[in-house]
Amino acid sequence: KLDIKAFRNLALEVNLMLPKSYIWTKKGELRQMDASNRIKGIEDLICKKLGIDDKEFFLVTVRKVLTKKLRPFANIRIFETEVGDEVE
């Protein structure tokens, strides 16, 4: 079993596939679905499943990809990175 807590400087890469569709905002405006508003929930869910705190992620990247599929989905990769080392 992989001990995720043994790694330092974790990075989270999310490719969020969203349908090319629009939603109504609270203000009654028509807008395209937003990837950045969904990333915190995804990050929290991953951390809960792995048993770590989100402060363990030193790099988080999100890419929004429009798709013809009707439901949103995500490709997620977690890896160790050199970003996050302390600087004097």
Side-chain angles (χ1 to χ4, degrees):
K1 183 178 175 183
L2 180 64
D3 181 10
I4 197 78
K5 294 178 183 176
F7 290 94
R8 293 189 54 221
N9 303 333
L10 290 176
L12 173 65
E13 177 183 274
V14 179
N15 293 313
L16 190 56
M17 316 307 186
L18 296 173
K20 189 173 182 176
S21 61
Y22 295 86
I23 58 172
W24 291 99
T25 67
K26 292 179 183 178
K27 295 180 181 179
E29 300 169 345
L30 193 60
R31 297 191 120 179
Q32 196 165 4
M33 294 180 80
D34 187 11
S36 60
N37 290 341
R38 288 164 174 73
I39 192 61
K40 181 62 177 158
I42 292 171
E43 188 178 6
D44 289 345
L45 180 64
I46 291 169
C47 288
K48 183 177 179 181
K49 286 290 191 184
L50 295 176
I52 62 174
D53 192 293
D54 63 1
K55 68 182 177 193
E56 302 296 327
F57 290 122
F58 285 88
L59 175 66
V60 177
T61 58
V62 181
R63 181 173 28 184
K64 177 179 169 180
V65 179
L66 297 178
T67 179
K68 292 182 180 180
K69 295 190 182 291
L70 296 176
R71 298 190 65 168
F73 64 98
N75 291 330
I76 298 169
R77 183 170 77 110
I78 300 169
F79 57 97
E80 193 170 22
T81 181
E82 292 180 15
V83 174
D85 288 338
E86 293 182 22
V87 178
E88 293 183 23

